[in-house]
Amino acid sequence: MTPALPARPVARGLRLLAALAATLALALPAVAQTLRIASAFDPQTQDPHALALLYHTRVAYQVHESLVGRDAQFRLEPALATSWRQVDPRRWRFELRPDVRFHDGSTMTADDVVFSITRALGRSSQRAFQLKGVTQAVKVGPLTVDLVLETPDAVLPEKLQYISIMSRAWSERHGVTAAQDFNAKQETHAVRHANGTGPYRLVRYEPDVVTVLQRHDGWWGRGDARNGNVAEVRFVVIKSDATRLAALASGEVDLVLDPPFQDIERLKRQPRIKVTGVAELGQQYFTFDQARDELEFSDVKGRNPFKDRRVRQAVWHALNVELIVDKVLRGQAEAVGSFLSPLVDGADPALARRLAHDPARAKALLAEAGYPNGFAVTLDCVNVAWRQAVCQAAAGMLTQVGIRTTLRVSAPNVFFPKLTQAGASFLEFGWTASPDAWNSLNGLFRTFDRSGLGTFNAGRYSNPALDAVIDGLRVEPDLDRRRAMVGQALAMVAEDLPYVPLYRRKLNWAMGAGVDVVQWPNDTLELRWARMR
């Protein structure tokens, strides 16, 4: 007799649940006030200066803190520094919070801050780009530190979020005085261990399995009335979308940070699940190799088509991003024409218009540029399910106009070094801005060099006139003039098209009805405010 067909899907489901149970078993049984958070991705490392990526930030900055922080409305507020002021045009003074203890019980002093700023400025640090213009940190007193600048910087404090303060003694003892070189796949003690000052301390890190944090009872901010009641947090890696949601529905996890777009409306109808949402501060882009004279992985020899603006414009006209948002992202995003979020200070709404989806115009532009038969290219994309699906849809649209696109999907630890080392011809990536525009303009569009300029300029685009505006923005103290310069820089980017802006997501988190969290527009959470009922 022929077996019944449904048996195979049932068996597959049982295997998924067994795999989930094995994963969660490694995280130990749940206890009261334990928040279990599921995501498809791992933080990659516990070294706070080694990476500047979302999945890393979500975990590392529960353990580590910076001189400044942000409140529930994402406004700047004191953290390890209680106050700051500009003592002269090239020097900012930070008064440090007294009696702050690292997780090993040692007391934070100015020496730790000087050490940490120096470490974050180092060659292997991916946070160095935020500190461009800082030449050194100087100890003024036991709890006073000056940041010395090569040129004036009127908004320096805005750039200090996620510049973690580490223990100098702990780092020296464990041989991690320099940040891990993530791109070189370096292994150091700081990859799996941490000693911060934050509200949670690292208990265990098993890459691609689980990260366990426990409440640091000696945290200086423990008495803050905003604090929640979560004693333990477990970040569990569950790569399958279906399995993450099954774990949420069964109560095996409490919060899913990356619920699939196609399931959002269904989740909103579940009585025991709630979905929170906020407008995103970041967005997604395509960017192009504009450095090499010959495009790698292409059938065009001796030329790089992406150096021609008409080809970059053709890519934009070929993409029906509105259709991608509707069908692939299920309406949980908006197609954008701007290069930075309107939440960024100085972003000009007049620059937000998208070029029309016009395949005929795309073909004509390719012919004008000398590619009447198109050309082949490889598109690199990270293996995040929704990003991969967008890349697949876009590859089909590009191929239809003659840009024959082969999709290459990589895991984060392979993909992100391609971004920072300019190892791709054509690449999809996301960027989360900060409220001040300089950080984004410098990271994305400034000509690259290893001093902290253009760190995430994956195509090595270079425009000296734009560089001058970005560099001028960093030192301009007048806020009205700064905003005008931001508009000028974004207009120049829109003219050159070193990137094609794609879409901005609606940030959705799914959680049990008894979980309360503050959702920031940069897609991160502050566990100190999390509460479970």
Side-chain angles (χ1 to χ4, degrees):
M1 181 181 292
T2 303
L5 291 176
R8 189 169 295 170
V10 169
R12 186 182 300 115
L14 289 173
R15 288 197 299 271
L16 286 172
L17 289 175
L20 171 63
T23 299
L24 294 172
L26 289 169
L28 302 178
V31 295
Q33 297 180 335
T34 294
L35 179 63
R36 298 155 302 175
I37 302 173
S39 174
F41 294 96
D42 183 79
Q44 306 288 314
T45 178
Q46 297 298 324
D47 189 319
H49 301 144
L51 278 178
L53 301 173
L54 172 63
Y55 313 111
H56 174 257
T57 299
R58 285 173 171 172
V59 177
Y61 294 93
Q62 317 298 335
V63 175
H64 296 277
E65 295 177 291
S66 308
L67 295 176
V68 304
R70 295 193 182 274
D71 65 13
Q73 286 72 47
F74 210 61
R75 298 172 301 203
L76 210 64
E77 69 173 7
L80 294 181
T82 57
S83 64
W84 46 85
R85 61 190 177 92
Q86 199 168 5
V87 295
D88 67 45
R90 298 189 187 182
R91 186 178 291 255
W92 280 81
R93 180 159 296 168
F94 293 82
E95 301 296 339
L96 306 180
R97 193 174 297 278
D99 302 319
V100 172
R101 302 231 171 235
F102 287 102
H103 298 157
D104 64 1
S106 60
T107 302
M108 185 198 74
T109 69
D111 292 322
D112 299 303
V113 174
V114 170
F115 162 78
S116 299
I117 297 296
T118 304
R119 188 181 194 268
L121 282 166
R123 185 182 181 89
S124 56
S125 167
Q126 288 194 19
R127 289 289 174 184
F129 78 100
Q130 290 182 226
L131 294 172
K132 182 62 183 174
V134 175
T135 58
Q136 62 177 325
V138 177
K139 177 180 177 180
V140 177
L143 291 174
T144 305
V145 171
D146 282 0
L147 297 190
V148 181
L149 311 174
E150 62 185 6
T151 50
D153 188 338
V155 293
L156 175 68
E158 283 281 349
K159 302 168 184 175
L160 296 179
Q161 187 185 20
Y162 302 139
I163 303 296
S164 293
I165 303 306
M166 299 176 66
S167 164
R168 175 180 175 178
W170 182 88
S171 300
E172 290 175 344
R173 186 162 62 249
H174 294 292
V176 290
T177 55
Q180 173 207 9
D181 188 339
F182 181 81
N183 288 340
K185 298 181 171 57
Q186 183 186 22
E187 281 290 329
T188 74
H189 186 79
V191 171
R192 297 180 187 238
H193 304 84
N195 180 37
T197 61
Y200 290 87
R201 61 184 181 86
L202 179 67
V203 175
R204 185 165 83 255
Y205 172 47
E206 297 181 33
D208 285 320
V209 179
V210 67
T211 304
V212 181
L213 309 180
Q214 287 183 354
R215 184 167 58 201
H216 173 39
D217 290 328
W219 179 48
W220 59 267
R222 188 55 59 204
D224 193 321
R226 298 173 296 179
N227 288 340
N229 63 353
V230 173
E232 183 175 79
V233 183
R234 298 170 187 173
F235 287 90
V236 182
V237 178
I238 305 176
K239 296 185 181 297
S240 163
D241 288 346
T243 310
R244 279 199 311 284
L245 294 189
L248 179 64
S250 67
E252 297 288 345
V253 300
D254 307 296
L255 171 61
V256 171
L257 294 175
D258 41 13
F261 290 99
Q262 67 269 19
D263 291 298
I264 297 300
E265 294 305 319
R266 178 181 65 81
L267 290 169
K268 288 178 178 178
R269 297 192 295 270
Q270 298 290 321
R272 293 189 297 174
I273 293 174
K274 68 180 179 182
V275 177
T276 63
V278 69
E280 186 182 24
L281 192 53
Q283 62 187 59
Q284 304 299 125
Y285 306 88
F286 282 151
T287 191
F288 314 91
D289 173 10
Q290 293 188 62
R292 295 177 179 85
D293 291 328
E294 181 176 295
L295 190 64
E296 291 187 324
F297 316 116
S298 177
D299 54 1
V300 174
K301 301 305 176 185
R303 289 185 293 171
N304 181 346
F306 289 140
K307 287 193 172 190
D308 192 313
R309 182 186 183 277
R310 291 170 295 186
V311 173
R312 304 194 297 273
Q313 190 176 352
V315 169
W316 193 330
H317 281 300
L319 297 173
N320 188 342
V321 179
E322 289 83 358
L323 182 64
I324 290 174
V325 165
D326 184 44
K327 300 301 183 183
V328 179
L329 303 178
R330 306 299 177 95
Q332 298 300 317
E334 62 172 328
V336 296
S338 57
F339 288 83
L340 287 179
S341 164
L343 298 175
V344 174
D345 193 28
D348 186 354
L351 298 173
R353 186 178 62 86
R354 284 191 61 79
L355 295 183
H357 169 57
D358 190 342
R361 178 62 178 148
K363 291 178 181 178
L365 285 165
L366 289 173
E368 288 175 22
Y371 306 97
N373 299 316
F375 60 92
V377 68
T378 295
L379 171 63
D380 277 285
C381 184
V382 70
N383 66 342
V384 177
W386 52 271
R387 291 173 64 174
Q388 183 175 340
V390 168
C391 288
Q392 288 172 332
M397 294 173 180
L398 291 166
T399 297
Q400 287 179 356
V401 302
I403 304 174
R404 296 177 294 279
T405 305
T406 299
L407 181 60
R408 181 169 58 184
V409 178
S410 307
N413 63 342
V414 175
F415 174 82
F416 290 116
K418 290 180 184 177
L419 192 163
T420 54
Q421 295 179 315
S425 299
F426 186 32
L427 183 139
E428 184 275 349
F429 79 104
W431 175 262
T432 300
S434 59
D436 182 71
W438 178 83
N439 192 45
S440 298
L441 293 172
N442 174 65
L444 296 176
F445 306 119
R446 180 62 168 79
T447 299
F448 172 83
D449 74 31
R450 295 188 179 277
S451 71
L453 299 171
T455 301
F456 298 93
N457 181 348
R460 297 301 188 253
Y461 162 70
S462 180
N463 179 340
L466 176 62
D467 292 347
V469 177
I470 294 172
D471 293 346
L473 177 66
R474 179 168 61 82
V475 302
E476 175 55 60
D478 183 272
L479 290 179
D480 288 335
R481 283 199 291 268
R482 284 180 63 83
R483 292 181 183 120
M485 294 171 76
V486 172
Q488 181 185 2
L490 290 175
M492 295 171 77
V493 171
E495 175 63 26
D496 262 7
L497 296 185
Y499 295 65
V500 168
L502 299 174
Y503 58 91
R504 189 173 300 118
R505 292 178 298 153
K506 298 175 184 176
L507 300 179
N508 296 299
W509 295 347
M511 64 202 75
V515 177
D516 294 316
V517 294
V518 172
Q519 189 174 13
W520 274 349
N522 64 351
D523 208 11
T524 65
L525 73 163
E526 286 284 281
L527 291 176
R528 55 185 165 137
W529 297 327
R531 184 170 294 275
M532 302 185 71
R533 295 179 273 106

